[in-house]
Amino acid sequence: MTLNVGSESGSTVYALGASSADGVTVNADKLVINGSSTNGRIEGINVGQGAQSKDKPMKLTINGDTEFNMKGIGYTLGLYANGNSEVTFNGNVTAMGNENSEWGLTSKDGAFGYYGCSLVYSGSNYSLQMGPKVTINGDVNAKIDGNGLFANGGHAKLTINGGGNIEINKDNTHNYYAMIAESGTTSMNVNLDENYDAVSARDNTLVLKGNVGASTGAINANEPELYTKVNLGLATADSEWTGIAYNGFKDEGNSAYGSDKKFYGAINVFLQNGATWNNEQWGAAVKGFNGSHVAKFVGGESEATAGNIFQKDSRNLTIDNYSGNTNIFYAHTGNGEAAENYAAGDTIIKSAAAGSAVSLITDSTGIAMENDASVANVLNALAGKLTYSSFVTGEKNLTGFVKIADGLTASSAALKTGNIAFNTEDGKGSLNKEDIKPEPPTPPTPSYPEDQKADKFNQGITGNDEKYKEEGILKEDGTYVFTQDPTKIEVESGAAVD
């Protein structure tokens, strides 16, 4: 089934509308929606238009795959779900572009910063102060010049139970996100409890190229949802996320103008079984970004099932609550012995669950691996990139390791390993003193006399005679200089001169 929609009039148009409390169901092997606008707002699917009731949601169910091809000039949305509505996709959702555009969804000018262009938007009806529930029971494969997944206000829920491949235009000028929430919950590839809190990762392959955000944009005195949550699961070796985790909320919460309400935000990440997070900006970061901030981070159950973080952002990575096993890779310049050789920011773990472990790893490039003192300096500098804050208050749940590997990839083998000791004053790491091997003392250079001391010898001349050095005869250039005449050499056997 193919639906085409276009606009040149300046009005809002959409290809499929579902505004019935009785529910609308679409059964199709594949639903293709093509939308184009040169003047006016355009939506592929609209759910929740018109008068709504708090008691009975408007519903849309699509049984089959859905493909979006959306090209607009201003507001451009794949799905626009509003207010008390429920939308379920029982199939995969794609927006990979076609012969008309390299992007499956794009807007020439955008609208209102990052708000105006999203593949899947789940937004509050501010009259009802209610947000939709959108569920995709399949993969999302999208290459878009806009936000990927956006839950905005009124307890809005946006849940993707599959994996997929989402790429955001890295050169966009609107601070678009792969996943974003504001007073709502956006979740991908995780299992949720009844409160939409993530409890574990699903085992779907997921590749994400784009930043993830918990934004304060929905905060106002009338907003009923005090918590903003983004939940992300990566739990297969071929799963990979490249982007930053932007949490715009203060640790103590944010206040709404004219209200004593406190609003809180959290980004929760599961990284396991060899999955990778490249912590670096994908395109521009929002103004005021000061480092990735994850509320709950769950690594692998063992060293063998650890996830991998490649710390590439110059700002610190902060994790409030850590558990499991994780490898954190740091590139270095020079010989790796000084803190300034590591351009990426520190990793700060505020608190850890019992039995947790983390390994900080760099490669052997430029390091004098045969020099124990140099190796110790490298491991100590690397250990200094980790801070375990709760160690100061007596928590001792985190074990830290530092490693020099033969490369800077997840499959690289460790060549040198040390243990991290944490400072009781600030929790900052250093190489455990027991692992520091002092350089063996340099033996003193022997001093030999300038002139011959003895005139009788019972040892033959062989070319490497310590006795003749000690008596001032054998010189550094290998010559024998006899200054006493006569000098007698008598040996019991063999030749006097060999």
Side-chain angles (χ1 to χ4, degrees):
M1 178 188 295
T2 299
L3 302 177
N4 300 311
V5 63
S7 175
E8 298 177 355
S9 65
S11 59
T12 297
V13 296
Y14 45 83
L16 173 63
S19 300
S20 170
D22 294 328
V24 174
T25 299
V26 176
N27 296 311
D29 289 339
K30 187 174 185 180
L31 172 63
V32 179
I33 296 179
N34 301 312
S36 177
S37 174
T38 57
N39 185 17
R41 174 170 173 153
I42 187 165
E43 303 163 1
I45 300 174
N46 179 296
V47 182
Q49 188 72 19
Q52 291 190 354
S53 165
K54 280 193 172 184
D55 301 321
K56 196 171 183 180
M58 298 177 177
K59 294 183 179 182
L60 171 65
T61 301
I62 298 177
N63 296 316
D65 296 337
T66 303
E67 176 185 326
F68 291 100
N69 297 294
M70 306 295 298
K71 190 174 183 179
I73 192 167
Y75 262 109
T76 304
L77 304 165
L79 166 69
Y80 175 71
N82 174 257
N84 188 17
S85 60
E86 296 179 5
V87 181
T88 302
F89 293 85
N90 291 318
N92 299 325
V93 173
T94 61
M96 295 298 293
N98 56 22
E99 65 277 5
N100 298 317
S101 175
E102 65 173 312
W103 306 105
L105 179 141
T106 184
S107 172
K108 180 181 178 182
D109 299 329
F112 295 99
Y114 59 81
Y115 288 94
C117 193
S118 294
L119 177 62
V120 181
Y121 180 87
S122 178
S124 178
N125 178 316
Y126 289 101
S127 296
L128 295 178
Q129 292 294 347
M130 293 181 70
K133 294 180 181 178
V134 177
T135 304
I136 298 176
N137 294 315
D139 294 341
V140 177
N141 295 291
K143 185 179 178 184
I144 53 179
D145 183 22
N147 298 309
L149 312 167
F150 193 173
N152 184 16
H155 311 282
K157 303 294 189 293
L158 176 49
T159 305
I160 290 79
N161 288 322
N165 191 319
I166 298 177
E167 178 181 348
I168 307 303
N169 178 10
K170 194 173 185 179
D171 298 324
N172 80 82
T173 58
H174 299 282
N175 297 124
Y176 291 135
Y177 295 85
M179 299 172 65
I180 181 173
E182 298 179 353
S183 288
T185 301
T186 300
S187 304
M188 189 165 194
N189 199 35
V190 291
N191 295 304
L192 302 169
D193 64 14
E194 64 275 9
N195 297 316
Y196 284 80
D197 290 322
V199 295
S200 62
R202 292 173 175 261
D203 60 1
N204 304 294
T205 298
L206 173 60
V207 176
L208 207 62
K209 295 179 179 178
N211 301 324
V212 169
S215 175
T216 60
I219 291 178
N220 68 84
N222 297 319
E223 173 58 53
E225 177 57 86
L226 304 181
Y227 292 91
T228 294
K229 293 181 286 189
V230 179
N231 302 311
L232 174 61
L234 300 123
T236 66
D238 51 355
S239 291
E240 184 174 7
W241 168 33
T242 302
I244 54 174
Y246 167 68
N247 186 343
F249 291 82
K250 302 174 184 176
D251 290 347
E252 66 273 20
N254 293 42
S255 299
Y257 179 77
S259 170
D260 59 359
K261 289 180 178 179
K262 283 283 190 178
F263 292 80
Y264 303 89
I267 298 173
N268 305 307
V269 177
F270 295 78
L271 190 73
Q272 303 162 341
N273 301 316
T276 294
W277 174 19
N278 300 303
N279 181 35
E280 60 181 312
Q281 288 180 207
W282 186 264
V286 66
K287 185 178 180 180
F289 172 71
N290 58 6
S292 288
H293 187 172
V294 176
K296 181 173 78 170
F297 184 98
V298 182
E301 292 183 355
S302 66
E303 181 181 359
T305 60
N308 303 298
I309 298 175
F310 288 83
Q311 169 62 320
K312 299 181 179 182
D313 189 76
S314 61
R315 290 150 291 204
N316 293 344
L317 163 61
T318 301
I319 298 171
D320 294 338
N321 296 286
Y322 174 88
S323 64
N325 291 260
T326 308
N327 301 313
I328 304 178
F329 293 84
Y330 278 88
H332 69 266
T333 57
N335 62 11
E337 295 186 34
E340 54 266 27
N341 294 148
Y342 300 83
D346 291 355
T347 298
I348 300 171
I349 296 176
K350 293 185 178 181
S351 183
S356 298
V358 62
S359 296
L360 273 63
I361 303 170
T362 194
D363 71 317
S364 60
T365 303
I367 297 174
M369 296 298 292
E370 73 286 350
N371 186 314
D372 287 342
S374 179
V375 168
N377 289 338
V378 172
L379 294 176
N380 188 60
L382 188 57
K385 301 301 291 182
L386 177 64
T387 295
Y388 177 24
S389 304
S390 289
F391 190 84
V392 174
T393 59
E395 183 179 289
K396 297 181 179 180
N397 294 333
L398 180 67
T399 300
F401 302 99
V402 279
K403 300 178 181 181
I404 301 173
D406 59 5
L408 207 61
T409 65
S411 60
S412 299
L415 303 175
K416 297 285 185 178
T417 299
N419 298 307
I420 297 177
F422 299 105
N423 189 297
T424 56
E425 294 184 359
D426 57 11
K428 192 173 182 65
S430 62
L431 180 63
N432 190 317
K433 291 182 179 180
E434 295 179 0
D435 293 334
I436 299 177
K437 297 179 180 178
E439 187 74 10
T442 302
T445 302
S447 178
Y448 301 112
E450 291 289 331
D451 299 319
Q452 181 178 343
K453 298 297 182 183
D455 60 1
K456 294 180 179 180
F457 296 89
N458 58 10
Q459 176 182 325
I461 295 175
T462 64
N464 185 24
D465 309 298
E466 186 66 22
K467 178 65 176 177
Y468 283 92
K469 291 180 181 179
E470 294 172 352
E471 296 298 332
I473 296 173
L474 178 56
K475 306 302 181 181
E476 290 186 3
D477 63 0
T479 61
Y480 288 76
V481 178
F482 293 91
T483 58
Q484 293 192 25
D485 187 15
T487 297
K488 190 174 183 179
I489 303 174
E490 293 180 345
V491 296
E492 293 183 1
S493 63
V497 179
D498 187 5

